[in-house]
Amino acid sequence: MAPSPRRRWNSPCALPGAETPQAAGAGGAESATGVSPKPAIQMPMLPPQCLLLVLGLGLGPGFVYGSRGTTIEQPANGTSLSIMGLMPLNETVAKGNIGRGVLPAVQLAIDQIRNISLLHPYFLDLKLYDTACDNAQGLKAFYDAIKYGPNHLMVFGGVCPSVTSIIAESLKGWNLVQLSFAATTPVLADKKKYPYFFRTVPSDNAVNPAIVKFLKHFKWKRVGTLTQDIQRFSEVRNDLTGELEDSAIQIADTESFSNDPCSSVKKLKGNDVRIIIGQFDEHMAAKVFCCAFDEDMYGSKYQWIIPGWYQALWWQQANTSTCSTKNLLTAMEGYIGVDFEPLSTKQIKTISGRTPQQYEKEYNEKRAGVEPSKFHGYAYDGIWVIAKTLHRALEYLYSSKQRQRIQDFNYTDHKLGKIFLDAMNETNFFGVTGQVVFRNGERMGTIKFTQFQDGKEVKVGEYNAVADSLELINDTIRFQGVEPPKDQTFIREERRQIYLPLYSILSTLTIIGMIMASTFLFFNIKNRNQKLIKMSSPYMNNLIILGGMLSYASIFLFGLDGSFVSANTFETLCTVRTWILTVGYTTAFGAMFAKTWRVHAIFKNVKMKKKIIKDQKLLVIVGGMLLIDLCILICWQIVDPLKRTVEEYNLEPDPAGRDIAIRPFLEHCENTHMTIWLGIVYAYKGLLMLFGCFLAWETRNVSIPALNDSKYIGMSVYNVGIMCIIGAAVSFLTRDQPNVQFCIVALVIIFCSTITLCLVFVPKLITLRTNPDAATQNRRFQFTHNQKKEDSKTSTSVTSVNQASTSRLEGLQSENHRLRMKITELDKDLEEVTMQLQDTPEKTTYIKQNHYQDLNDILSIRNFTDNKDGEKAVLKNHHDQKASSQWNTIESSKTSKDPIEDINSPEHIQRRLSLQLPILHHAYLPSIGGVDASCASPCVSPSASPRHRHVQPSFQVMVSGL
């Protein structure tokens, strides 16, 4: 359809030179190029109601000045449906370019609607009124349009937030529906306050769901916000806060600033905020990025998300002296801009039959040098929304068979106004800006994401609010690191655990030790009836081996931590390994000390009374030691049980250089009063060890290897004591190094257990294999020149036992020494007499007469000596009885026969020699080590007598006997 001739307007507001359409078009073209109004126009001559026209506005071809506003060319036939257009048009206003930039798009939409006869027989008649982005002037333009203009069915426009909000709030009273294409302020989203307000452009809050979707895509769960103290940004921030909370995204810090953002940026860094969502204009953006550069908050570890509606090359226009352009661009690199999509990128035909790309081409041809506006697509779709709304209203009026005509609408017609409102809510079509649909009056549009790359902004993705879907363009988004930044300094908890190879090595050594202990146990059980093993208390040896194996077993438990077992199991192991090690130590060393105590009790008996100490009594002693252990451990477990505690250490950088931090932690077995309980256990074990050392020292001179382990016990206690002290100290100092600590503890236990078992059993094993009888024999000794020195040592030992009997013992020992010397002399005389008897029988009478008294003296001395040596009292009585009977026999024979004849007879001489000499030998020689005290038979052959064989001197038994 060819456009009809333009209308002529005759009104008081008609302008000079605007009587013809050609004149109006010429004036419009001149103004569109930014030229000032013609001087021929006389502003003061205009009526007041015409001031809103702001003469000289260049609206381009097709725009005609009307009596109450500026109108777009319309066909001559048909019925017009007036639409009130409110927008800034003056080039002197900051946002005047928005109004001028969208008018070519509006003209395209009106022409296309007319061409397809969507509203036939009606056509849209858009009346433009300049609001100048001023509240007073905008409100006056609105009321003048109502008073002096035709009845407008709707209001199209609203750019400046303040003007738009004032007018939108009063629409309900006029039953007018307003559709804005450029008002993005979130305030207008309040439907209770602005129920008749719609907009084709998404609000500033519409980017928040897109931001949340973007955050979820990269799995960022912790963000911070930096907001300029302006209402527009504060409202967006408040809405974003709600969106983040609903999506379970943590807001680590919320900062705001007025002029200097550096302090806020520093706080964000202090709170370890890595993902920063900024809300500020381009002038403050330059300051923010300069502060970010100074705080080193850029690069691969940080991601900035800021508004994307800044002017092109905004950083070049920013006036900042805080940093250089190079530093500013360095800090800006990689930021993400978020803004609504001006035009859809989809190659789909819109409601007009054109794709968004075809429309954009027509728009650029239509604007003819006018500066483009990024809102032109929303204005274009807005005209189509109005046309579709009126079309549905017409259909409704036609289908309801109401006689009311749409052109009869007036500002008091609530019914028709409600029809327009409902029809607007039902809008749903695909326009050049995407799918056009409203939800509570808010446009569900498309949000685009751009990234600053190498000095320019590159589109990297878009968010469809209708489908709630995020689509990122492949391989367009670039992060400065190998992966997207972390939403915080990602702290990876790393357990300081026992290295498996170390645990394996020490476990192998432990198994070898347990095999060795099992071998000793087998050896001990198999040879338990051997005299060597039997004298060394095999039951006690078994306990020593059992204690060593328990100590070995504790190593396996000390090496188990949270990497092998659960937390509850680890807490149980804390108690079990303490019990095992404590009981194992007491069992092993308690058995050794009990054996040593028995040796001490026998050989340090001053009165030399016979003592029988069986293994059952030793078992009771070991049981008592274990009972003390159990009492301590049970009280410990009930009052203050061991629990699993976790000690955390300072953050450490990732050795691999990744954007994470390592926080080492270590598991301990601790309780509230750990020091007290350890002190009790150490004190008890220390006393036990000191007692063992005392017993080992006291029995050091007992020379029966099968009975006396004092030398080996002393060596064991020395090694165990030194190793335990060193191990405990080093273990405490390496508390935060579990591998070193475990290695030291395990080696100490292995060393102590192994050295103890080897010292106790290896000598027995060697002796049993080489000379099984030597260990059970008590070495004899002879009285030599150093006997007095040994007696003095014995005196000192006895004196230490009983200080009250010191003087008495010294006297008895001196007398003992004197009598021993006399025995020696008499022994020599006896030997001489024996030899004389064997060589010269004729001297028997002389011997009898001169030495009879000496023999009695010897026997009396022997009796005296035996009384001193209480250990052999039973043997003395046995010998005395036999000697007395024999002596009586001799006396009786002497009285019945002639004395000389009887004594000199060879039979009597042989009888005396065979009976008296062994009696004398057995009576006094045991006191000086000549005959074993266990020999009870007086009839010993001369070859078996100690005098007829060489015996190594051993003074220890003599000293013990004293």
Side-chain angles (χ1 to χ4, degrees), residues 749-913:
I749 295 175
I750 292 173
F751 177 82
C752 294
S753 301
T754 304
I755 200 67
T756 299
L757 293 175
C758 289
L759 287 174
V760 172
F761 291 98
V762 170
K764 291 179 175 58
L765 184 62
I766 295 174
T767 304
L768 191 61
R769 296 299 181 189
T770 57
N771 188 10
D773 296 330
T776 61
Q777 295 176 355
N778 186 11
R779 290 178 292 180
R780 281 69 174 172
F781 54 83
Q782 296 178 348
F783 187 84
T784 59
H785 64 278
N786 58 355
Q787 181 65 42
K788 188 174 181 179
K789 181 177 179 181
E790 293 295 333
D791 290 342
S792 176
K793 291 181 180 180
T794 305
S795 175
T796 304
S797 176
V798 174
T799 302
S800 64
V801 177
N802 191 356
Q803 294 293 339
S805 303
T806 301
S807 59
R808 180 172 175 268
L809 287 175
E810 289 179 352
L812 292 175
Q813 289 173 353
S814 299
E815 183 66 18
N816 190 321
H817 177 68
R818 186 185 64 79
L819 293 175
R820 288 176 185 276
M821 294 297 294
K822 189 172 182 179
I823 288 172
T824 304
E825 295 174 359
L826 292 175
D827 183 55
K828 293 179 180 179
D829 293 342
L830 183 60
E831 289 180 359
E832 293 177 1
V833 171
T834 303
M835 296 301 296
Q836 291 175 4
L837 288 174
Q838 292 177 353
D839 295 338
T840 56
E842 62 275 5
K843 298 180 181 180
T844 0
T845 306
Y846 174 79
I847 294 173
K848 178 181 179 296
Q849 293 175 354
N850 292 283
H851 293 281
Y852 183 79
Q853 183 64 36
D854 292 338
L855 291 174
N856 289 331
D857 292 342
I858 291 173
L859 293 175
S860 63
I861 291 171
R862 184 256 302 165
N863 293 336
F864 178 80
T865 305
D866 288 340
N867 289 332
K868 296 301 180 180
D869 299 332
E871 186 181 11
K872 301 174 181 57
V874 177
L875 183 62
K876 173 185 75 64
N877 293 335
H878 177 69
H879 291 173
D880 287 348
Q881 291 173 3
K882 289 189 177 184
S884 176
S885 63
Q886 294 168 0
W887 188 262
N888 291 336
T889 304
I890 296 171
E891 290 296 327
S892 63
S893 65
K894 179 187 68 170
T895 56
S896 63
K897 296 182 182 182
D898 183 36
I900 300 297
E901 183 180 2
D902 293 338
I903 295 175
N904 293 331
S905 66
E907 301 141 9
H908 285 264
I909 292 173
Q910 184 65 30
R911 187 180 300 172
R912 279 199 307 273
L913 290 175

Side-chain angles (χ1 to χ4, degrees), residues 598 602 609-614 617:
R598 177 164 64 179
I602 293 174
K609 292 183 179 180
K610 184 177 180 181
K611 283 193 174 183
I612 300 176
I613 302 175
K614 297 183 178 181
K617 189 171 184 179

Side-chain angles (χ1 to χ4, degrees), residues 523-535 538-539 768:
F523 165 78
N524 191 69
I525 295 175
K526 181 181 179 181
N527 300 282
R528 64 185 181 278
N529 293 324
Q530 292 285 340
K531 191 173 183 180
L532 173 65
I533 303 300
K534 194 171 184 179
M535 291 182 66
Y539 293 110
L768 191 61

Side-chain angles (χ1 to χ4, degrees), residues 632-648:
I632 295 174
L633 292 173
I634 291 173
C635 293
W636 190 349
Q637 182 65 23
I638 294 175
V639 177
D640 192 13
L642 288 171
K643 295 182 179 179
R644 173 182 176 270
T645 59
V646 177
E647 181 181 3
E648 293 184 346

Side-chain angles (χ1 to χ4, degrees), residues 76 331 498 515 578 668 775 913 915 944:
I498 308 299
I515 294 175
T578 303
H668 296 291
L913 290 175
L915 293 176

Side-chain angles (χ1 to χ4, degrees), residues 4-23:
S4 59
R6 299 173 184 171
R7 297 182 181 179
R8 282 185 172 271
W9 297 92
N10 296 318
S11 70
C13 294
L15 300 178
E19 290 80 1
T20 63
Q22 292 79 6

Side-chain angles (χ1 to χ4, degrees), residues 575-592:
T575 303
V576 173
R577 69 190 188 187
T578 303
W579 282 57
I580 289 179
L581 183 59
T582 303
V583 172
Y585 176 90
T586 302
T587 302
F589 283 90
M592 282 199 306

Side-chain angles (χ1 to χ4, degrees), residues 92 266 452 682 734 840 867 899:
T92 61
K266 189 173 183 180
F452 187 77
Y682 289 160
T734 59
T840 56
N867 289 332

